[in-house]
Every structure is written in C-alpha cells, then in structure tokens.
Amino acid sequence: MSSILDDDDFGGLSLSQRAMMAARGPVGTRYLDELNPAQREAAETLDGPLLMLAGAGTGKTKTLMARIAHLITTNRANAREILAVTFTNKAAKEMKDRLERTPFHLPDPVRWMGTFHSICAKLLRNHAELVGLRSNFTILDTDDQIRLLKQLIIAANMDEKRWPARQLAGIIDSWKNRAWTPEHVRGAETAHFNNRGSELYAAYQERLRTLNAVDFGDLLLHMVTIFQRHPDVLADYQRRFKYILVDEYQDTNTAQYLWLRLLAQAHRNICCVGDDDQSIYGWRGAEVGNILRFEKDFPGAVVVRLEQNYRSTEHILAAASGLITANRDRLGKTLWTADKGGEKVRLIGHWDGDEEARWIGEEVESLSRGTRGLDPIPLNGQAILVRASHQMRAFEDRFLTIGLPYRVIGGPRFYERQEIRDAMAYFRLAVSPDDDLAFERVVNLPKRGLGDKAQAVIQTCARAAEAGLVMGAKAALQQGAITGKAAGALRAFLEGIGRWHAAVLDNSDHVRLAETILEESGYTEMWLADKTPEAPGRLENLKELVKALEGFENLQGFLEHVALIMDNDKDQSEDKVSIMTLHAAKGLEFPAVFLPGWEDGLFPSQRALDESGQRALEEERRLAYVGITRAEEICTISFAGNRRVYGQWQSQLPSRFIDELPGRHVEILTPPGLYGGGFGAATASGFGSLESRATKADVYNSPGWKRMETRATEPPRPKARTVTTVDSVAFGIGDRVFHQKFGYGEVIDLEGDTALIEFEKAGSKHVKAGFLKPAVGLDDVPF
Ligand code: ATP
Ligand code: MG
C-alpha cells in the first residue's frame, strides 16, 4: 500500500485537510488496493488528459470508478464537480452500480453521471432560449420525427414514395452526429435527397423550433452550438465540471467528441477509456478515430494500457481474442488472464430455433442448480444475448412455458407500443398544450367525430392565427367553423387539456393525474370496450405505465426519461435470467452467457453480408467479440439448422464467425436427439475453413439427422434465402421493414419484386418491394 500522505496526491490541500486525510487511515484509499499497478497509475493520475486504451474486462470501468473515489477522497473535486459520461443507458447504470460498490465514502451522489443524451437534455433545459426553445421542450421519438419530415416533404412538393421521410431522417441524423447545423451542410453532401436535403433540414429545424421540440440528435447539437456561440456559458460549465470522465469512449460520435473537447479544453482534466475492438455503433456515427484524435487534441496525454483481463477464464478470453484477429482494421493488443483452466467455449448446433430455445431453457435451469461440479449460477448471473431483438420471442415463449423467470432488457419496445404512445401523447399535452404532434395523435382518439375534415379546419384556423393547434381549435369553435356534435366534443377535449395542464402547473400528484387523464379522455374506456384479443394486454400495459410514473417526481421528468428510452427493469433484486441484444450488453458481465443464432444472415446480419467491403462485417465481428467477452465462466454459442419465420421454414448456414474461433478453445456439445457423434465427428475436423462450415451444414440436411430427430415436426422445407435489391438496399427474410401505408413489418417471403410482409398492424400482405424501406436500427437503439 502506498502512503496516503504522498505529496503528489495532496497538492493544493491545507495542512488540516491533510491531517484529516491522514486520520482517516488506510481505509481512505482502499479502492486503490484493489487495482493493479497500471490501473493504479490511471486512477492516481488525476490532473491532465489521460487515455486508457484496453481490451474487454481489463478493469477500465472499475478504474474509472476508483478515479472518482480518488478525486473525491483527495478533495480534488466534490461529487457535483465531476462529469462522468458514457454512451448507453445500460452502461450508465453499470457505472452507477459500480460506484456504489467502490469502497469509499461518497458524501453526495455524482449528479452528472449518465449518458451523453441525458446529460445534454438536463443542460439544454437551462439554456433552451439560446437556441430559440422554451425550457419545457418536448423530445421527439423516431415516429414523431418521421411524421414531421413527411409533412415537410409533401409541403416541398416531393413524391413521398420516392423520397421517403425515413431516408431523410437518416441523412439528417448523420449530419447531426457530425454536429452540422443546416448552414454547415456543404459540397457533395448537399446532393443528398434529390439536392433538397439541406433545405429540408433547415425547414425541419425551423419546424421543431415552432413546435418547441427537439429530436435526439439535437440534444447534442444544440449544446455544442450553445457552447460555441456563448463563451460565457461554456466557461461556466468548464468551471463547474472540473474533471471529466468518459467510459466506452470508442463509441462517441463527432458531436459528442466536440462537446467533450469544448468542456475540457480549458482545464484539460479529461480521462477517456475505451477499446477499439468494442466499437459497435458505427452505424450511428461513432468514430473510432476519436481515440486517435485524443492524443492530438490533448498533447502530452498520459496513455495507459491494461492487459490483464479479470473477467473471463482462459478459454473464453482466447476464443474472443482469436476471433477478433480476423479484423484487419484494429489497433491490436494482447490480453491475458490469471484465471487458467475453466470450461472451453461451448458450441452446439440445433435442429431449429425452437429446439435451441428449449435447450437453452433447460441449460439455464441446470446451471442454476449447479451441474457437473460447477457452483450454482443464479439466474441473475445468466444472460442470453441476441443479435436482433426479434430473436427474443422464441426465448420468451419458451421461458413462459416452463415458468423460468426472465427479464427482457431493452426498454424501447414497451414504450413503442401503440397504447403507450397514445397515453404518452396525452401526458405530453398536459405538460405542454402546444405540443402539436401530440394533439394530432389523440384529438380523435378515441373517436370523437373529429376526423380528417375537422382536423383540416383546425389546421387552417391555426395557420391563419399563426398559432398552434390548441389555439386553432379554439378559433375554429369561436368562428363556428366546427359545429354540432363535433364542436361539443372538441370543446370537451380542449377543456380537458386546460384542466390537466393546470394540474401540472399546480404540481398536483402526477400519478393520480395520469389516471385521471386516461379516464377523462375516454382512452381507457376505449380499450375496455374493445373486444379484440389484444385489448386486455393493452390495458395491462397502461396500468404498467401508470405504475412506472411512481418512480418520478413529475410528468415531465417521466416524459424525459421515456424520450431517452431508458430501460426500466425495476425488479433487479429478483432472480431472473436476462435477455437482451448484444448492443445493450456492452460493459456488462455475467458468469454464464448464451449466444444463440450464430448463423450467416442472422449473425453476421444479412445487411452486413450484402454490404461490399469489410467495414460492416468487421463491426459485426466486434459485436461477436463483445458478446463472448461478457462471459466470466461459461460461454455457449449456438446455431440452428432451420428457422421458422411466421410459419415458413428457412435453412440456415452456421455463422462464418464460428469458423474463426480457435478450435483449441472450443468444445462441441452433442445436440439432443443425436446419438453416435455424427455431428461431433463432422465438426471436430476443425474450424477455420469454409469447407468445415459446409460440412456442419450438411449434417443438418443429411437423412441421418432427420431420422434421429424424434419430434413430431413437419420436416422443414429447405428454402433458399432470396434477396431483393431496391434502391441499392437489400432485404432479407426476417428483416424489419417500413411501408408507407402499412407501417412496420417483417419480411416473410420474397419472390421477384414482390414481398410478403407480416405487418404489425395491418396483418400479412403482398407488397411491391419498391415501396419498402429498411426500418433502420430501431431494434438496436440503445437509449
Ligand atoms: P469492458 O471493456 O467489457 O467494459 P472493462 O475494461 O470496463 O470491461 P471492468 O468491467 O471494469 O472491465 O472489469 C471487469 C471485471 O474484472 C470486473 O468484475 C472487475 O471488478 C474485475 N477487475 C478489474 N480489475 C481488477 C483487479 N485489479 N483485481 C480484481 N478484479 C478486477
Ligand atoms: Mg467497462
């Protein structure tokens, strides 16, 4: 243990402070004793820029937390003067949990610890007027954003079918990720969207301002703009945030990078930690190059490398390290672990997806009981990490059937549900009656006789009055433009909004208010009267929503939380196995990890396979690396020979990543129902060649396999995967797509230029592929 009276640690402290620290004794720096020398250096080098670049499980997050402990213990900064940011909600939560477990006295919570987006949302509330907003601005989600863009595209006389709003949204996001305001869009970029992209971007920003709304990208963009244009505001925050710490730095985009650089440039007390091999958000504009830029922008930065992995056993680490060497574009590093031995990475092939889910269910149970001499691994210590969230269903179904408690992590889906979004629109109106998008969504929901015609009248009156829709509606009533029953309904609706808003301003009990809103508006009633099979579930969800409100101070706080799509698994304490996407698992660790669905087209995804060049494939491989390195003791990779998608069978080839695993560190398990080692013999020949992959696949299609399969399943009709290309976008079966008229759905079949889609709301339909767009990344949104 080093002396806690080390002068270097106590620069700037008075003698009495030093004496106090000394009196605290060795306990004061116990968090340092838990670190190895390199980690310790990183935790103790408090002043000036520091970059910690190291592989998975080497203690980056742990060291970051020790650093916070050290900053506070040495009185360098108090908890309010520390800014600690990361990229995903899950990683932010992990930081908070870890800080709690760090052995030191934390007098106040570290308030400024969270994701870039949540911190920027807080800051922007204080300075909204500097970018023409009011502090109660609404944060739009993707759906609202798309609807808004669509209106603008139509207003610009463009054909919305040829030039879909979703595509424009992607373009605008990519500009915002680079911190470009409309004026910044120049050169070749202006050619986007039929040369109208930048013009529409400007119109969109203007419209957002009128609506007092921001989208996700704006949270960062506005703060960067404010910092750049208002040096006084920036200087204030530079003073406030004396020390800046960034976890998962490899996933920052340019806007986030600029934001950090602005905040840190005065005192340069910035510490970033990351791993280039775990950069998995390139599709959202993350720039691994930011790691390389760091040393340039902060000359003299101390760079610490950590090589000892404390998380995983030898085989798991070796398997992951072996896999990632197939990536050409990486900085390269070596990792070792003192945890020798342990189980090899387990690989198992299954007949189909259902069987994979069944086997995993049984395996989770037997691991939780303790098996083969292993200590029992509680369900909380086990996770199933999937590439695409549609894979989750099979596990949910299975676990429900066998009564295995599980939690699905990845909050967005709950908040994406129709009834939840409707209810939220009501809440939004209560908080800001001038939220026109919310108004549009619920003005005739439940049906009040305020259909398209009445709404058009309201729009016209609003435009004439140069005001929002609430004002427009009032004007319509005054002018007698809406009469009869509709007028009565509209009046009641407006009165409702008025009452609810007054209740919000009065700070009345928001949970009670939420219930009142849902009752008075007739929304709950609507579902009670609904006789479709989904209605009871929807009512359950609404109850769940009201329950969720209890954890918040007021409606606005809750709306903000949801807008940032925090995931919301409150019952952490209960023992449950976790199901989540690989993207959501970053930074986490579990004693046992299951990685199902390692099949070409699923993982790596079809989109990555179709893209020319290595970029997308390398990102998928990093995702695989992230997956394996989440495991501490047991890592099980699996694939299925057949998958059923909405009743249609599809034969699958094992993932190319399986062949890239070093065979020495992999144990092949015999699938259930298969005796005599046919499969084992075929695969034991080794990994690393396409040939062996074909051999494995052949096993599934061999008659022997089918004979041994005892289940009463129709032998699946092997079906080649067809891919149709539209506007240079390729779709595969199972992809999530978006159709102008029918909304979101999944590709079931492709035949020529026609696709069979199972739409979420409209049921299954044959549509021309030309009218489909990929539903980009919604599944993977981490916030
Ligand atoms: P990732 O890249 O996956 O985010 P990381 O580098 O942030 O990983 P941590 O999560 O901080 O790694 O650490 C991995 C595990 O190793 C944790 O359980 C942590 O407590 C443990 N660990 C880290 N350093 C040490 C150490 N010096 N002694 C003992 N355990 C350690
Ligand atoms: Mg970490």
Side-chain angles (χ1 to χ4, degrees):
M1 150 148 342
S2 81
S3 155
I4 61 148
L5 284 176
D6 184 347
D7 264 340
D8 277 343
D9 277 359
F10 288 85
L13 290 190
S14 68
L15 273 178
S16 63
Q17 277 170 325
R18 288 190 192 200
M20 252 163 55
M21 305 299 304
R24 239 179 248 171
V27 184
T29 54
R30 217 170 69 205
Y31 49 85
L32 291 179
D33 301 341
E34 294 182 352
L35 305 181
N36 69 31
Q39 291 173 333
R40 201 171 160 138
E41 184 197 349
E44 289 182 306
T45 311
L46 296 176
D47 298 316
L50 184 130
L51 179 66
M52 204 189 320
L53 194 60
T58 50
K60 295 184 297 296
T61 304
K62 184 184 174 79
T63 307
L64 216 50
M65 295 307 107
R67 212 177 139 83
I68 291 181
H70 206 48
L71 282 168
I72 291 172
T73 308
T74 58
N75 286 340
R76 279 283 203 305
N78 64 42
R80 291 168 169 270
E81 294 167 330
I82 294 172
L83 173 67
V85 272
T86 186
F87 189 66
T88 63
N89 288 315
K90 211 66 203 147
K93 183 163 183 308
E94 181 75 9
M95 281 208 292
K96 286 178 188 162
D97 293 349
R98 293 281 188 94
L99 190 63
E100 265 173 32
R101 296 206 300 267
T102 305
F104 80 113
H105 175 61
L106 179 62
D108 305 303
V110 178
R111 242 183 100 216
W112 299 100
M113 176 178 272
T115 62
F116 283 99
H117 288 97
S118 66
I119 285 172
C120 281
K122 267 199 221 169
L123 296 180
L124 191 56
R125 296 249 177 242
N126 296 332
H127 305 285
E129 75 289 349
L130 296 179
V131 282
L133 297 165
R134 292 185 302 283
S135 69
N136 65 343
F137 60 79
T138 310
I139 304 172
L140 299 189
D141 60 18
T142 320
D143 224 50
D144 289 332
Q145 191 189 4
I146 300 288
R147 275 199 304 147
L148 201 56
L149 287 171
K150 194 172 147 186
Q151 292 172 0
L152 293 171
I153 291 168
I154 293 168
N157 282 325
M158 289 175 81
D159 177 2
E160 218 272 321
K161 289 211 167 63
R162 266 201 78 197
W163 300 102
R166 187 157 286 274
Q167 188 185 340
L168 182 59
I171 294 167
I172 291 178
D173 274 351
S174 77
W175 287 335
K176 288 187 176 175
N177 286 339
R178 281 176 268 175
W180 288 359
T181 57
E183 308 85 68
H184 282 102
V185 181
R186 291 207 196 95
E189 293 278 331
T190 55
H192 279 308
F193 216 69
N194 207 19
N195 294 315
R196 315 265 315 255
S198 54
E199 160 201 335
L200 284 165
Y201 178 22
Y204 172 63
Q205 291 305 92
E206 202 36 56
R207 185 92 183 95
L208 286 175
R209 238 183 294 276
T210 338
L211 289 167
N212 193 31
V214 301
D215 65 17
F216 244 72
D218 278 340
L219 294 172
L220 255 301
L221 178 68
H222 284 325
M223 281 320 298
V224 168
T225 307
I226 289 171
F227 286 165
Q228 283 169 339
R229 296 199 187 144
H230 302 273
D232 50 325
V233 176
L234 175 63
D236 193 34
Y237 284 109
Q238 286 172 337
R239 272 191 301 272
R240 179 179 310 186
F241 301 135
K242 286 191 183 159
Y243 289 86
I244 301 174
L245 300 95
V246 189
D247 200 359
E248 307 284 356
Y249 180 62
Q250 74 279 354
D251 285 319
T252 51
N253 63 32
T254 305
Q256 290 160 341
Y257 177 78
L258 288 176
W259 182 82
L260 285 171
R261 200 176 67 179
L262 283 162
L263 279 173
Q265 67 194 6
H267 52 57
R268 299 184 0 121
N269 293 327
I270 179 166
C271 165
C272 294
V273 314
D275 176 8
D276 60 309
D277 286 335
Q278 293 184 68
S279 163
I280 53 175
Y281 282 101
W283 56 277
R284 290 187 62 111
E287 296 273 351
V288 187
N290 288 341
I291 294 184
L292 307 171
R293 268 166 75 171
F294 187 88
E295 287 188 71
K296 244 205 223 139
D297 281 338
F298 295 101
V302 175
V303 179
V304 176
R305 286 175 207 280
L306 307 175
E307 296 192 331
Q308 181 171 2
N309 172 297
Y310 289 90
R311 177 179 297 146
S312 312
T313 57
E314 187 186 7
H315 290 304
I316 293 172
L317 189 63
S321 303
L323 175 71
I324 200 66
T325 53
N327 270 10
R328 264 173 287 159
D329 188 16
R330 62 191 289 258
L331 301 173
K333 55 181 99 65
T334 41
L335 286 181
W336 63 278
T337 171
D339 196 351
K340 300 293 174 209
E343 300 256 330
K344 291 185 176 179
V345 168
R346 308 177 319 159
L347 174 68
I348 181 164
H350 296 282
W351 171 250
D352 63 16
D354 289 345
E355 187 177 291
E356 179 182 54
R358 189 170 51 196
W359 184 82
I360 289 181
E362 281 164 17
E363 195 62 15
V364 166
E365 284 184 325
S366 75
L367 287 176
S368 74
R369 284 194 301 266
T371 172
R372 285 169 291 126
L374 291 169
D375 287 339
I377 301 177
L379 298 180
N380 277 339
Q382 304 194 46
I384 293 148
L385 310 181
V386 297
R387 171 64 185 90
S389 60
H390 67 74
Q391 286 174 266
M392 291 178 182
R393 267 251 58 82
F395 296 102
E396 289 194 56
D397 282 351
R398 185 65 203 156
F399 296 174
L400 281 171
T401 311
I402 59 174
L404 181 68
Y406 70 91
R407 71 170 68 84
V408 172
I409 295 179
R413 283 183 340 291
F414 178 75
Y415 293 111
E416 268 171 26
R417 294 189 177 143
Q418 187 192 334
E419 64 279 13
I420 301 302
R421 302 171 50 85
D422 294 341
M424 303 279 296
Y426 274 108
F427 301 165
R428 277 164 51 184
L429 274 180
V431 172
S432 16
D434 51 2
D435 186 335
D436 284 0
L437 292 169
F439 184 100
E440 278 174 21
R441 185 175 180 107
V442 294
V443 63
N444 201 30
L445 200 76
K447 293 223 173 349
R448 303 186 168 92
L450 298 169
D452 290 353
K453 252 204 240 141
Q455 289 183 39
V457 172
I458 296 174
Q459 296 271 7
T460 312
C461 291
R463 264 198 303 277
E466 291 185 52
L469 294 178
V470 165
M471 297 308 287
K474 282 185 184 159
L477 287 173
Q478 274 160 10
Q479 296 159 15
I482 293 178
T483 52
K485 254 176 122 183
L490 183 57
R491 200 164 289 123
F493 180 62
L494 291 176
E495 281 165 8
I497 296 176
R499 251 191 337 272
W500 307 327
H501 185 55
V504 168
L505 294 180
D506 266 331
N507 264 331
S508 49
D509 180 343
H510 64 290
V511 180
R512 186 73 212 105
L513 175 62
E515 282 169 339
T516 309
I517 293 174
L518 296 177
E519 273 162 34
E520 290 184 349
S521 62
Y523 189 72
T524 311
E525 184 67 32
M526 177 182 102
W527 288 118
L528 282 170
D530 191 302
K531 293 290 166 256
T532 57
E534 297 87 49
R538 296 195 195 273
L539 287 163
E540 278 302 315
N541 287 339
L542 289 172
K543 276 195 208 139
E544 190 60 38
L545 177 69
V546 173
K547 218 168 32 177
L549 279 166
E550 287 168 10
F552 293 81
E553 237 173 77
N554 51 35
L555 274 186
Q556 179 165 329
F558 178 70
L559 290 175
E560 182 153 322
H561 162 86
V562 177
L564 297 165
I565 317 175
M566 298 276 195
D567 40 27
N568 192 18
D569 47 323
K570 279 173 285 158
D571 44 7
Q572 276 288 323
S573 55
E574 288 175 56
D575 197 27
K576 291 177 178 172
V577 56
S578 301
I579 310 177
M580 69 183 94
T581 62
L582 286 159
H583 279 100
K586 203 163 52 115
L588 308 185
E589 55 191 15
F590 302 89
V593 167
F594 292 89
L595 301 168
W598 279 43
E599 295 137 35
D600 272 4
L602 187 52
F603 191 35
S605 72
Q606 192 59 43
R607 213 168 294 147
L609 290 177
D610 292 340
E611 193 175 288
S612 57
Q614 289 295 306
R615 236 185 36 126
L617 193 61
E618 295 209 345
E619 181 147 320
E620 294 283 304
R621 197 176 280 113
R622 289 194 291 269
L623 202 48
Y625 175 81
V626 168
I628 300 173
T629 54
R630 297 311 93 200
E632 294 169 5
E633 296 160 34
I634 310 270
C635 176
T636 312
I637 294 171
S638 58
F639 60 95
N642 301 284
R643 266 190 203 277
R644 197 175 42 186
V645 187
Y646 289 101
Q648 301 261 3
W649 286 100
Q650 199 175 290
S651 62
Q652 302 284 94
L653 267 187
S655 169
R656 62 198 55 206
F657 296 153
I658 287 178
D659 291 323
E660 294 169 1
L661 295 168
R664 272 181 308 132
H665 300 287
V666 178
E667 176 193 3
I668 296 160
L669 304 183
T670 311
L674 182 64
Y675 309 104
F679 173 72
T683 45
S685 61
F687 296 79
S689 71
L690 277 172
E691 209 180 328
S692 75
R693 200 146 60 91
T695 320
K696 270 177 281 176
D698 288 347
V699 173
Y700 292 100
N701 297 321
S702 74
W705 170 270
K706 284 178 186 158
R707 262 204 315 280
M708 277 176 269
E709 175 60 30
T710 51
R711 282 192 302 139
T713 321
E714 266 305 292
R717 193 160 35 93
K719 190 165 177 314
R721 192 182 178 90
T722 9
V723 168
T724 303
T725 305
V726 191
D727 285 354
S728 77
V729 181
F731 297 110
I733 290 169
D735 281 355
R736 208 166 122 82
V737 290
F738 180 77
H739 184 278
Q740 231 30 77
K741 190 153 160 216
F742 304 125
Y744 291 101
E746 188 165 344
V747 182
I748 306 301
D749 201 3
L750 289 161
E751 204 73 65
D753 64 345
T754 306
L756 173 63
I757 310 293
E758 178 72 31
F759 288 105
E760 286 170 6
K761 294 195 184 125
S764 64
K765 296 205 180 316
H766 284 279
V767 294
K768 290 273 176 253
F771 291 130
L772 294 171
K773 293 287 156 198
V776 193
L778 266 186
D779 279 355
D780 304 319
V781 171
F783 310 104

